[in-house]
């Protein structure tokens, strides 16, 4: 049993293979957090200590017992109005204008399987692989019910948390802040690892101490954003890739979010993950239920690599869906950097001819094939094939491409509308706009009001009409602006941003249900919506619009802390690179792009024959390792922000195959001699370099290290494949 209940103590234990999570119902019916961390084999409620501190506050049921202060007690779901002044999980306004919600225990249930969340992406598991704990609490005055949900996946050390808030009263209340997880740590010093950036520089690792004063990251851009990722690590001071305790919190949501971390007046730590409360006001009518997106948690006693590997496994096996998740993804060639808007059907066909010759399996026709879309100022919303531009029908183009043995994929930006489009001329009120104001434009486009079903229905119909014209095997779903003018004809402005995301999920679900064989890749100006919510619908996401291999090392390094390598779209592009104008060796570009869903973003016809020959070899090389890259355990061997050497490694689950990648980010004359220590090998094993035949003992590679070869030139890289010698 993953979940047990000690009725006498009213203590719940959530057990996974390597971790324990405990909570209890106290004498007042308040749900206290007791412990989360490495596995223990008994109760730990002795940790709770009550003490009256100056200026503390007690709930009235505690009477004259002044030691009972919720401001210092670890809680599962802190709510407003009870004398806890730390960051809150739930703030709501009652009908009388007051802000208080006092959830007291009513009942609980333990069931097999993992709860699902209606309309929201969430971790899934079979009946035998998970258990669910539901704890129902209720405010005795407003009758607002708060259901705390815990999903426990014991074999993979994952615990998920979500919350359902039901208005069980007779008057409307307004939700102002909703979170799905609170992590209260009674003592200790912790750092926060977060992933920050911007367009073309996503998910740069940042490590800061959690100190006094609330620290937060989040998004109010309508999407999870390029700027901050909705996944963080709370790590013991000094924790490293291979040692030290660390907690992961990953929000399964693609919209506005807020992560708050603070050290309290008594050196406790509180961390809260939830929906961004700024501009959020969600009216909840009597009987209505609001479901908070889930937070996926794990605890690793042995550093970040273990934490990452658990998330990678959970995402690949319990979040991503579809036939491509655990299969080889086609090597693709995308038309964007090859031609931008300047193409005809013949251009795309010629890309496919080259692709067939080189061993590329899929050609993607990116932006520019529809409506009057010859630059990024017009046409969004007009999802009609521009046959004049293509010089043929879509069906004819796809047939010709398929006849070469190449698959065909296509780009959409379903959530957008250009003011210069037939769709806008017909339905100006479908765009998100405030009627009395001029809208804020971005890339000269507006957002469609995806909180409205009729809008989604129309877009879905248009997409289907395109997809039904031929054998489309891949769709890139893009989203290229942040949200402003958050106002809708249909609902309260404070609910729109969330309902919009539910609308996106609804349309994606409809799309993958109707086209189960299509590989969906999501994108938002590169990696502006790279989150677990999106991965429920699309097993891969275009990692960044920046294809410069050197910049990509840091972007993919940061992304890898939570998201598995097969989820990261990663392509080789030409040099000088279109984003940085930098020249980087072809080999390096390949090695970096292979640590993702591999592809190309260039026009092979413009390349000299020797580079084309290299592409052919590169694809063969990739194919030889693609299973190892997809299924292997991923280890970051250096921190590329701190070391000139960037190194990372894939080790097959049976430890028989290893792929070591090394890049010298800065080349200097007479530079240091680098060594890199491998990880995850069999101590006694003999590993053979498949090219040189040289053999190494596994423990030696991990303890003595591997001597990085001397490399020169523009960002040189080196890849070594080892196989466990069976002799
Ligand atoms: C975004 C995407 C690119 C490309 C363009 C097309 O920027 O990230 O890959 O699809 O849009 O407009």
């Amino acid at each position: 049993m993953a979940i047990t209940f000690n009725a006498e103590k009213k203590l719940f234990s959530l057990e996974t293979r390597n971790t324990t999570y405990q909570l209890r119902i106290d004498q007042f019916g308040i749900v206290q957090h007791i412990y989360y961390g490495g596995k223990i084999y008994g109760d730990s409620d002795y940790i709770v200590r009550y003490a009256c501190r100056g200026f503390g506050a007690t709930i009235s049921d505690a009477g004259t017992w002044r030691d009972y202060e919720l401001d210092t007690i670890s809680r599962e779901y802190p709510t407003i109005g009870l004398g806890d002044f730390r960051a809150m999980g739930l703030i709501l306004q009652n009908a009388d204008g007051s802000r208080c919600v006092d959830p007291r225990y009513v009942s609980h249930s333990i069931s097999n399987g993992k709860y699902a969340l209606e309309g929201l992406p969430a971790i899934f598991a079979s009946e035998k692989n998970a258990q669910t704990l539901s704890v129902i609490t209720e405010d005795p005055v407003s009758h607002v019910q708060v259901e705390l949900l815990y999903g426990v996946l014991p074999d993979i050390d994952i615990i998920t948390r979500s919350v359902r808030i039901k208005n069980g009263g007779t008057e409307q209340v307004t939700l102002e802040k909703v979170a799905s997880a609170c992590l209260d740590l009674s003592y200790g010093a912790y750092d926060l690892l977060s992933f920050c950036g911007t367009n073309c520089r996503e998910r740069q690792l940042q490590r800061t101490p959690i100190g006094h004063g609330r620290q937060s990251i989040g998004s109010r851009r309508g999407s999870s954003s390029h700027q901050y990722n909705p996944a963080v690590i709370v790590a013991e001071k000094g924790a490293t890739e291979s040692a030290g305790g660390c907690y992961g919190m990953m929000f399964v949501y693609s919209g506005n979010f807020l992560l708050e971390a603070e050290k309290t007046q008594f050196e406790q730590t509180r961390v809260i993950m939830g929906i961004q409360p700024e501009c959020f006001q969600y009216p909840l009518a009597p009987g209505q239920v609001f479901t908070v997106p889930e937070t996926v948690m794990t605890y690793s006693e042995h550093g970040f690599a273990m934490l990452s590997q658990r998330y990678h496994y959970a995402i690949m096996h319990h979040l991503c869906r579809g036939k491509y998740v655990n299969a080889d993804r086609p090597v693709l060639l995308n038309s964007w950097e090859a031609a931008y808007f300047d193409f005809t059907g013949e251009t795309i066909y010629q890309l496919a001819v080259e692709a067939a010759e080189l061993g590329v399996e899929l050609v993607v026709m990116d932006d520019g094939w529809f409506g009057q879309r010859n630059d990024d100022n017009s046409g969004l919303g007009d999802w009609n094939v521009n046959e004049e531009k293509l010089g043929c029908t879509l069906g004819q183009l796809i047939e010709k491409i398929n006849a070469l043995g190449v698959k065909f994929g296509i780009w959409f930006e379903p959530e957008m509308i250009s003011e210069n489009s037939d769709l806008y001329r017909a339905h100006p009120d479908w765009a998100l706009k405030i009627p009395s104001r001029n809208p804020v434009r971005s890339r000269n486009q507006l957002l469609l009001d995806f909180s409205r079903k009729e809008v989604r229905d129309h877009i879905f119909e248009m997409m289907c009409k395109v997809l039904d014209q031929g054998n489309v095997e891949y769709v890139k779903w893009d989203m290229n602006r942040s949200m402003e003018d958050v106002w809708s004809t249909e609902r309260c402005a404070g609910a729109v941003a969330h309902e919009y995301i539910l609308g996106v999920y609804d349309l994606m679900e409809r799309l993958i249900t109707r086209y189960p064989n299509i590989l969906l890749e999501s994108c938002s100006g590169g990696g502006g919506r790279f989150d677990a919510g999106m991965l429920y619908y699309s097993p891969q996401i275009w990692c960044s619009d920046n294809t410069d291999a050197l910049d990509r090392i840091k972007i993919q390094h940061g992304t890898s802390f939570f998201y598995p390598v097969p989820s990261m779209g990663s392509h080789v592009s030409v040099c000088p690179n279109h984003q940085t104008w930098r020249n980087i060796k072809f080999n390096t570009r390949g090695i970096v792009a292979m640590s993702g869903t591999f592809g190309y973003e260039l026009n092979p016809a413009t390349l000299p024959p020797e580079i084309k020959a290299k592409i052919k070899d590169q694809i063969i090389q990739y194919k030889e390792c693609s299973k190892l890259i997809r299924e292997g355990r991923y280890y970051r061997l250096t921190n590329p922000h701190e070391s000139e050497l960037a190194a990372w490694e894939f080790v097959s689950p049976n430890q028989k195959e290893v792929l070591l990648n090394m890049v010298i980010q800065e080349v200097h004359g007479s530079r240091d001699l680098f060594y890199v220590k491998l990880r995850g090998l069999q101590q006694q094993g003999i590993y053979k370099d498949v090219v040189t035949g040289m053999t190494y003992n596994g423990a030696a590679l991990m303890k003595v290290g591997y001597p990085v070869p001397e490399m020169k030139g523009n960002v040189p890289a080196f890849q070594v494949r080892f196989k466990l010698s069976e002799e």
Side-chain angles (χ1 to χ4, degrees), residues 25 27 30 65 69-70 99 119 121 157 174 202 204 211-212 217 228 280 319 336 444 446 465 485 525 565 655 698 709:
I25 314 299
Q27 59 270 54
I30 301 267
W65 183 33
E69 292 177 2
L70 283 181
R99 286 184 178 78
D157 293 307
T174 306
E202 296 89 341
Q204 307 288 302
H212 294 285
I217 59 152
Y228 298 101
F280 174 80
L319 186 67
W336 182 240
N444 220 357
L446 304 180
K465 273 194 191 142
D485 302 293
V565 163
Q655 298 172 301

Side-chain angles (χ1 to χ4, degrees), residues 47 84 97 100 105 223 226 228 409 474 494 560 579 592 600 610 625 662 672 693 724:
I47 192 178
D84 180 347
C100 181
Y105 173 80
S223 61
H226 297 89
Y228 298 101
Y474 164 104
S560 77
Q579 292 79 44
V592 173
Y600 294 87
E610 64 274 15
C625 305
M662 294 155 283
D672 303 344
L724 189 71

Side-chain angles (χ1 to χ4, degrees), residues 462-480:
M462 289 181 104
M463 290 176 80
C464 292
K465 273 194 191 142
V466 173
L467 297 174
D468 291 343
Q469 287 178 36
N471 181 25
V472 179
E473 295 184 71
Y474 164 104
V475 164
K476 178 172 169 189
W477 178 309
D478 210 342
M479 192 278 192
N480 284 319

Side-chain angles (χ1 to χ4, degrees), residues 604-619:
T606 62
L607 301 175
E610 64 274 15
I611 296 286
K612 284 201 204 181
K614 281 186 181 174
I615 292 184
K616 259 187 172 172
D617 290 347
Q618 201 167 55
I619 293 174

